[in-house]
Amino acid sequence: MARKNLVLVLVGHQGYIRHVEDGADHEIENEIFFSSISSTYLPLLDMIHRLEADKISFKISLVLSPVLCALFDDPMVQEQYIEWLDARIALGEKEVERCKNDEALLKNARSALEGFKQNKIDFCENYNQNLLKQFALCAQNGHVELLATAATYAFLPHYADMPEVLNAQVEAGLYSHRKYFGTTPEGFWLPYLGYADGVEKVLRSYGINYTILDTRSLLFCADTPKTGIFAPVRCHNSLVLFARDPDSPADIVAQGTGFMHNPIYKNQNRDIGFELSGDDLGEFHKDGSARVSSGYRYWSKTDAVYDEKSALAQAAEDAKKFLASKKDKLEKASALLEGKDACLVCALSAATLGQDWAEGLCFLEQVLRGGDGFTFAGCGDLIQEQFSLPKIIPYPSAGVGTGYGEDLLDSSNDWMLRHTRKMCARMVDLADRFQDDSGLKVRLLNLGAKELMLAQSAEWAMMLHEGRLPEYVSERFKKSIASFIVVFDSLGSNTVSTEWLTKLEREHPLFPWMNYRIFSKKK
């Protein structure tokens, strides 16, 4: 009997935002990462362990970008996160006292406080501050399939004519995956699903067996597969291709119709950190500093007091609707495939589940508990017949904009690309000219390679497009450009400031294993 397979892919990534210097106010920037730990990654691990304990048969695919892994693995960032939790626990104790005469608000305050206390227990005691080890164990248990991705989440089509740059992003991404998880991945997630001709050659040359593309890549190609998006196909070099279900993100995030916009759910944009007076916030808010989110949110999207019980019941109902729609789609596809296995790949941003939608992981758990009628699988489980799949030439596309990556190259961010491409050309030249150097020059070249990769992060362009921290992002990007120019000029003049070099190495300890020769032209 033909199987119906549902592949759930969660994609976690963020820009390299790391500020550990004493006396500097970077709470707004650090909030992005710390809130993701509390709202998404710790609850995700807890969910997986609950399902394992209940003997539920399930599998999810997970992408954790190298930059995100580096932040998880950074001892100084870990200590900062604990301090971040302590500040919110202290605020919660005050909130319980402040709300004691309002039963509805008090219930929400206690729930948030208990959540932060549980975060600290999980992070410090249960997981020993090592979330990457926990995800690796989940993969070993067979319930999580880990996919690699590009080193700094660069949008690869922007460098499709620079094979050395593609090689460097892929090679560094794979090295990072092996370092953090101890395995060689079968699958590779293309940042923002960006595909252009030639990307498949690079992936296959590094032993990658499959990737996931936007629906357009399969349906708009000249040799459109008869199986549509419901079965894998392959390139001419036998890299297996899956297509993302175009409806899954919209099911959740579409304005007005997506599940997360139900009025009963928690309003993630209304937080006491922005509403209470400085006296009520106490030590949580320092005089003269910017207001930051506290995590204490007491209202639904209608601005009524939030009812957690009703919201979780609604999440369970939405999970049933989601499963019913996917089951219906798979059954229709299976009938058209005349008895062959059908699959559907549903890819979602990890930030959506928890950070953007407070009840998102409750929704996901109910989905995984209710998969009657089909099998939860990873893409790697579905490529046993890799070399007999039909061949196609994929159509260039992306998963953002209208399908072609326009959001990453518009009037808000187009000025960035000319700088990164110029840096790329110079880095390739430097890698070839200084192949056999050692000592300070190697440190300088490795730093230049890291600064280039940091500048290539497509997350900066997306943040500018969405208007998130635009001043910070512009300054952060320009600093990487300026640092690379110093590296380039120092090599040209054969002089280097060891003080400057050491300072920047400490500021950006990302990829300590970096070898600039990954930008060399392959012989």
Side-chain angles (χ1 to χ4, degrees):
M1 184 177 178
R3 292 199 311 167
K4 305 174 187 68
N5 301 289
L6 187 63
V7 180
L8 298 176
V9 184
L10 300 185
V11 184
H13 69 93
Q14 77 159 71
Y16 189 65
I17 299 176
R18 176 187 186 271
H19 295 284
V20 297
E21 53 271 27
D22 291 334
D25 183 12
H26 286 286
E27 286 188 272
I28 295 176
E29 293 85 1
N30 289 337
E31 171 75 18
I32 296 173
F33 179 58
F34 295 151
S35 65
S36 74
I37 299 177
S38 282
S39 301
T40 298
Y41 298 107
L42 285 174
L44 177 60
L45 281 170
D46 291 344
M47 180 202 76
I48 291 170
H49 292 150
R50 278 196 303 274
L51 293 171
E52 289 176 337
D54 292 345
K55 308 296 183 184
I56 302 296
S57 177
F58 75 98
K59 191 165 192 177
I60 60 173
S61 297
L62 183 63
V63 181
L64 296 174
S65 72
V67 165
L68 187 64
C69 291
L71 292 171
F72 278 136
D73 196 46
D74 191 315
M76 295 185 74
V77 174
Q78 292 170 4
E79 290 305 312
Q80 271 191 323
Y81 174 62
I82 294 171
E83 293 173 4
W84 183 90
L85 285 174
D86 286 340
R88 279 148 183 80
I89 290 171
L91 175 63
E93 302 288 0
K94 288 190 64 176
E95 276 298 284
V96 168
E97 178 63 24
R98 187 183 71 86
C99 298
K100 64 182 179 182
N101 295 323
D102 188 321
E103 186 61 34
L105 291 184
L106 179 61
K107 189 175 182 179
N108 282 293
R110 282 176 172 165
S111 177
L113 174 60
E114 290 306 312
F116 285 123
K117 287 181 176 180
Q118 187 62 48
N119 286 160
K120 187 172 182 180
I121 292 171
D122 285 340
F123 189 73
C124 297
E125 299 176 21
N126 296 340
Y127 304 144
N128 197 27
Q129 301 183 33
N130 193 341
L131 302 191
L132 295 178
K133 180 181 178 181
Q134 293 300 315
F135 284 119
L137 289 173
C138 293
Q140 291 174 19
N141 292 338
H143 292 125
V144 172
E145 179 183 47
L146 293 168
L147 283 73
T149 190
T152 53
Y153 218 70
F155 187 65
L156 300 186
H158 286 168
Y159 309 97
D161 59 332
M162 296 179 161
E164 297 84 9
V165 177
L166 298 183
N167 287 335
Q169 280 284 342
V170 172
E171 186 171 330
L174 292 175
Y175 189 98
S176 172
H177 189 95
R178 288 192 293 269
K179 177 183 183 297
Y180 290 121
F181 302 114
T183 59
T184 299
E186 276 199 283
F188 192 94
W189 176 265
L190 297 174
Y192 296 107
L193 293 177
Y195 170 79
D197 184 42
V199 170
E200 76 285 352
K201 298 174 184 176
V202 174
L203 295 183
R204 195 66 177 137
S205 70
Y206 282 97
I208 296 299
N209 279 330
Y210 73 85
T211 190
I212 300 168
L213 303 180
D214 184 74
T215 307
R216 296 168 183 80
S217 288
L218 269 66
L219 298 189
F220 289 1
C221 66
D223 41 2
T224 306
K226 295 180 180 179
T227 53
I229 67 170
F230 298 102
V233 292
R234 60 174 170 150
C235 295
H236 287 269
N237 63 1
S238 290
L239 176 73
V240 178
L241 308 172
F242 291 85
R244 179 186 67 166
D245 173 33
D247 296 327
S248 294
D251 288 339
I252 293 173
V253 305
Q255 193 62 42
T257 60
F259 296 138
M260 65 181 285
H261 298 294
N262 191 304
I264 202 171
Y265 289 136
K266 183 177 289 186
N267 185 347
Q268 294 290 77
N269 296 319
R270 190 175 173 188
D271 187 291
I272 67 166
F274 303 105
E275 298 196 350
L276 295 188
S277 67
D279 290 338
D280 285 332
L281 291 173
E283 294 183 3
F284 182 81
H285 174 63
K286 303 177 183 65
D287 290 339
S289 63
R291 294 276 184 137
V292 296
S293 174
S294 68
Y296 288 87
R297 299 157 184 151
Y298 306 151
W299 300 275
S300 70
K301 294 181 184 295
T302 61
D303 289 331
V305 176
Y306 177 68
D307 183 347
E308 184 178 33
K309 184 178 180 181
S310 298
L312 295 183
Q314 183 61 50
E317 287 301 311
D318 287 341
K320 291 178 182 178
K321 293 176 185 176
F322 180 84
L323 286 168
S325 68
K326 303 312 167 190
K327 183 177 180 181
D328 181 61
K329 186 178 284 191
L330 280 169
E331 287 178 346
K332 290 178 180 177
S334 183
L336 293 173
L337 291 176
E338 299 176 348
K340 296 181 180 178
D341 290 354
C343 69
L344 193 62
V345 179
C346 303
L348 304 168
S349 168
T352 300
L353 305 179
Q355 292 159 264
D356 301 334
W357 182 17
E359 300 80 8
L361 284 168
C362 299
F363 163 86
L364 179 62
E365 182 171 348
Q366 294 305 313
V367 167
L368 293 171
R369 288 180 181 275
D372 295 335
F374 47 73
T375 302
F376 291 111
C379 291
D381 302 321
L382 309 178
I383 59 172
Q384 293 89 346
E385 300 178 0
Q386 178 174 358
F387 300 103
S388 61
L389 296 172
K391 295 180 180 180
I392 69 164
I393 300 176
Y395 189 79
S397 69
V400 290
T402 59
Y404 307 99
E406 303 95 322
D407 293 354
L408 302 174
L409 193 64
D410 62 14
S411 58
S412 68
N413 53 39
D414 58 357
W415 58 275
M416 305 172 86
L417 185 57
R418 64 179 179 270
H419 295 291
T420 56
R421 285 182 59 85
K422 185 65 174 180
M423 289 167 66
C424 287
R426 288 182 171 181
M427 190 67 235
V428 172
D429 177 59
L430 291 174
D432 283 337
R433 282 201 287 135
F434 295 92
Q435 283 192 356
D436 301 318
D437 279 271
S438 59
L440 278 177
K441 281 189 177 179
V442 169
R443 287 174 59 191
L444 202 60
L445 286 159
N446 288 341
L447 179 66
K450 287 197 290 185
E451 292 299 323
L452 165 56
M453 285 190 161
L454 286 173
Q456 283 182 298
S457 174
E459 186 67 9
W460 307 136
M462 184 57 75
M463 290 176 74
L464 286 180
H465 171 78
E466 295 175 347
R468 291 184 286 136
L469 303 177
E471 294 84 5
Y472 171 82
V473 169
S474 296
E475 181 184 353
R476 177 70 189 77
F477 177 82
K478 290 174 183 177
K479 284 182 68 174
S480 286
I481 298 295
S483 298
F484 183 88
I485 291 173
V486 172
V487 169
F488 186 78
D489 290 345
S490 297
L491 290 166
S493 61
N494 202 30
T495 60
V496 58
S497 167
T498 54
E499 182 181 353
W500 174 85
L501 176 59
T502 302
K503 178 178 180 295
L504 206 58
E505 286 174 334
R506 288 175 178 170
E507 186 178 337
H508 295 158
L510 177 73
F511 305 157
W513 40 261
M514 174 60 70
N515 186 332
Y516 68 93
R517 297 176 183 87
I518 62 175
F519 282 94
S520 298
K521 294 179 180 177
K522 298 294 186 283
K523 299 297 190 281

